[in-house]
């Protein structure tokens, strides 16, 4: 069965600094990988997804993620944090041999300091 | 735009009550999901359904059941609510291909007293 581990439940950065949120996955077959964001009191929305095309994936709001098969990772980055990026971020995996299950990590709460 | 609507934003129920959480999507999606969200645990899959009357257990199905009689509606049932089922419940839907985006409802915050 596939699984996802997000390293760091809380990450704090200064405005303008690099954002790096870590995600490692476990899957017996090449997976599909997603990053979602949840702003306070709102539902989740898709930031970006990897579906076996380009390994570097660009998403909304300046975020991007790189799929590294050798490291089983799919870390999320943004070169320069903005105050509006403060939210909770979830990595998720779906595998072709799991019948459509979408499994999420524990989440990382991002704080942005002025 | 895809819309996933959960019937209630907030619910308070008593221990032992039978609780129904309803979810409706308007985009003819095959897949529908129920998750619970708890601090530090992320989203945990309770059940998902890939077609009408079809369901599969997720990671934490104990104490829950589901019903999908129509394609657009997916109900989560707590047969006998307990205090450890106090949580935020999120419904989602997606097209069948597993590389497609899931769309989420706003969530139902359930408190069992």
């Amino acid at each position: 069965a596939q699984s996802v581990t997000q390293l760091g439940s809380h990450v704090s950065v200064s405005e303008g600094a690099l954002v790096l949120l870590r995600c490692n996955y476990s899957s017996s077959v090449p997976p599909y990988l997603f990053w979602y964001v949840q702003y306070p009191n709102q539902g989740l929305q898709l930031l970006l997804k990897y579906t076996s095309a380009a390994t570097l994936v660009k998403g909304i709001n300046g975020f991007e993620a790189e799929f590294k098969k050798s490291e089983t990772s799919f870390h999320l980055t943004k070169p320069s944090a903005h105050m509006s990026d403060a939210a909770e971020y979830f990595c998720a995996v779906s595998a072709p041999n799991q019948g459509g299950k979408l499994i999420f990590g524990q989440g990382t709460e991002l704080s942005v300091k002025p | 735009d895809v819309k996933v609507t959960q019937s209630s934003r907030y619910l308070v129920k008593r221990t032992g009550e039978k609780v129904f959480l309803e979810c409706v999507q308007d985009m003819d999606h095959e897949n529908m999901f129920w998750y619970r969200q708890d601090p530090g645990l992320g989203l945990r899959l309770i059940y998902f359904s890939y077609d009408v009357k079809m369901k599969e257990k997720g990671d934490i199905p104990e104490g829950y059941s589901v019903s999908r009689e129509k394609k657009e509606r997916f109900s989560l049932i707590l047969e006998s609510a307990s205090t450890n089922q106090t949580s935020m419940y999120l419904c989602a839907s997606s097209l069948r291909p597993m590389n497609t985006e899931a769309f989420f409802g706003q969530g139902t915050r359930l408190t069992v007293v």
Side-chain angles (χ1 to χ4, degrees):
Chain A
Q2 73 268 34
S3 64
V4 175
T5 302
Q6 291 183 239
L7 298 175
S9 58
H10 291 91
V11 170
S12 181
V13 300
S14 298
E15 193 172 19
L18 172 72
V19 175
L20 171 60
L21 304 181
R22 299 178 186 273
C23 172
N24 288 89
Y25 69 90
S26 172
S27 177
S28 58
V29 299
Y32 303 118
L33 294 159
F34 308 81
W35 276 99
Y36 285 82
V37 60
Q38 185 180 35
Y39 297 104
N41 298 316
Q42 295 189 25
L44 277 72
Q45 65 182 87
L46 183 71
L47 269 180
L48 49 81
K49 64 180 181 180
Y50 167 75
T51 58
S52 74
T55 55
L56 182 62
V57 181
K58 294 187 184 297
I60 61 171
N61 301 337
F63 284 93
E64 62 182 37
E66 187 172 8
F67 173 70
K68 292 187 176 180
K69 184 179 179 180
S70 61
E71 299 177 8
T72 61
S73 69
F74 190 56
H75 302 331
L76 183 71
T77 60
K78 182 174 180 177
S80 177
H82 192 271
M83 297 296 291
S84 60
D85 294 326
E88 189 153 23
Y89 292 80
F90 294 94
C91 184
V93 63
S94 176
N97 63 345
Q98 293 294 315
K101 283 185 181 180
L102 182 61
I103 303 298
F104 283 81
Q106 303 89 329
T108 298
E109 186 172 354
L110 176 66
S111 301
V112 182
K113 299 175 291 187
Chain B
D1 277 355
V2 174
K3 193 166 185 182
V4 179
T5 304
Q6 295 183 230
S7 53
S8 305
R9 287 297 303 271
Y10 301 94
L11 274 179
V12 180
K13 296 293 183 181
R14 294 194 179 278
T15 300
E17 275 192 79
K18 190 169 186 175
V19 181
F20 293 86
L21 302 183
E22 306 286 348
C23 176
V24 177
Q25 50 96 2
D26 66 357
M27 282 301 290
D28 204 34
H29 284 172
E30 293 89 358
N31 296 334
M32 295 190 75
F33 308 83
W34 274 108
Y35 295 89
R36 63 177 283 176
Q37 182 179 11
D38 300 287
L41 297 177
L43 276 69
R44 292 180 291 167
L45 182 63
I46 305 172
Y47 270 97
F48 84 103
S49 169
Y50 51 90
D51 204 345
V52 175
K53 297 188 187 294
M54 306 304 290
K55 61 186 180 185
E56 286 205 20
K57 293 180 180 179
D59 295 323
I60 53 164
E62 297 79 18
Y64 303 94
S65 62
V66 290
S67 172
R68 193 164 180 203
E69 296 297 319
K70 293 184 178 181
K71 192 174 185 180
E72 67 270 18
R73 186 180 296 270
F74 191 35
S75 303
L76 180 68
I77 303 155
L78 287 66
E79 296 291 341
S80 177
S82 63
T83 55
N84 63 12
Q85 293 178 310
T86 291
S87 186
M88 171 68 81
Y89 290 87
L90 294 172
C91 176
S93 73
S94 71
L95 292 168
R96 179 161 288 149
M98 285 160 289
N99 59 351
T100 58
E101 175 182 0
F103 293 86
F104 283 80
Q106 291 294 302
T108 296
R109 183 163 294 282
L110 173 66
T111 302
V112 183
V113 298

PDB file of all heavy atoms in Angstrom, chain A residues 8 15 19 40 50 84:
ATOM      1  N   GLY A   8       8.212  17.447   9.304  1.00  0.00           N
ATOM      2  CA  GLY A   8       7.995  18.763   9.890  1.00  0.00           C
ATOM      3  C   GLY A   8       6.538  19.122   9.896  1.00  0.00           C
ATOM      4  O   GLY A   8       5.948  19.378   8.848  1.00  0.00           O
ATOM      5  N   GLU A  15       9.304  36.408   5.482  1.00  0.00           N
ATOM      6  CA  GLU A  15       8.810  36.881   4.190  1.00  0.00           C
ATOM      7  C   GLU A  15      10.006  37.106   3.267  1.00  0.00           C
ATOM      8  O   GLU A  15      11.017  37.698   3.660  1.00  0.00           O
ATOM      9  CB  GLU A  15       8.025  38.170   4.369  1.00  0.00           C
ATOM     10  CG  GLU A  15       7.220  38.574   3.156  1.00  0.00           C
ATOM     11  CD  GLU A  15       6.301  39.750   3.417  1.00  0.00           C
ATOM     12  OE1 GLU A  15       6.533  40.474   4.408  1.00  0.00           O
ATOM     13  OE2 GLU A  15       5.344  39.936   2.650  1.00  0.00           O
ATOM     14  N   VAL A  19      10.887  28.796   0.650  1.00  0.00           N
ATOM     15  CA  VAL A  19      10.001  27.836   1.300  1.00  0.00           C
ATOM     16  C   VAL A  19      10.363  26.433   0.804  1.00  0.00           C
ATOM     17  O   VAL A  19      10.476  26.210  -0.400  1.00  0.00           O
ATOM     18  CB  VAL A  19       8.521  28.116   0.964  1.00  0.00           C
ATOM     19  CG1 VAL A  19       7.623  27.030   1.555  1.00  0.00           C
ATOM     20  CG2 VAL A  19       8.107  29.487   1.461  1.00  0.00           C
ATOM     21  N   PRO A  40      -7.051  28.823   6.264  1.00  0.00           N
ATOM     22  CA  PRO A  40      -7.915  28.726   7.450  1.00  0.00           C
ATOM     23  C   PRO A  40      -9.398  28.768   7.099  1.00  0.00           C
ATOM     24  O   PRO A  40      -9.839  29.608   6.300  1.00  0.00           O
ATOM     25  CB  PRO A  40      -7.492  29.948   8.279  1.00  0.00           C
ATOM     26  CG  PRO A  40      -6.073  30.173   7.888  1.00  0.00           C
ATOM     27  CD  PRO A  40      -5.987  29.834   6.423  1.00  0.00           C
ATOM     28  N   TYR A  50       1.997  15.707 -10.036  1.00  0.00           N
ATOM     29  CA  TYR A  50       2.928  14.971 -10.874  1.00  0.00           C
ATOM     30  C   TYR A  50       2.221  13.736 -11.411  1.00  0.00           C
ATOM     31  O   TYR A  50       1.675  12.931 -10.652  1.00  0.00           O
ATOM     32  CB  TYR A  50       4.162  14.533 -10.070  1.00  0.00           C
ATOM     33  CG  TYR A  50       4.996  13.521 -10.803  1.00  0.00           C
ATOM     34  CD1 TYR A  50       5.800  13.903 -11.867  1.00  0.00           C
ATOM     35  CD2 TYR A  50       4.937  12.174 -10.467  1.00  0.00           C
ATOM     36  CE1 TYR A  50       6.542  12.967 -12.574  1.00  0.00           C
ATOM     37  CE2 TYR A  50       5.674  11.233 -11.160  1.00  0.00           C
ATOM     38  CZ  TYR A  50       6.465  11.637 -12.205  1.00  0.00           C
ATOM     39  OH  TYR A  50       7.184  10.699 -12.903  1.00  0.00           O
ATOM     40  N   SER A  84       0.789  35.798   2.372  1.00  0.00           N
ATOM     41  CA  SER A  84      -0.434  35.083   1.985  1.00  0.00           C
ATOM     42  C   SER A  84      -0.213  33.579   1.812  1.00  0.00           C
ATOM     43  O   SER A  84      -1.175  32.832   1.609  1.00  0.00           O
ATOM     44  CB  SER A  84      -0.999  35.660   0.695  1.00  0.00           C
ATOM     45  OG  SER A  84      -0.060  35.531  -0.353  1.00  0.00           O
TER      46      SER A  84
END
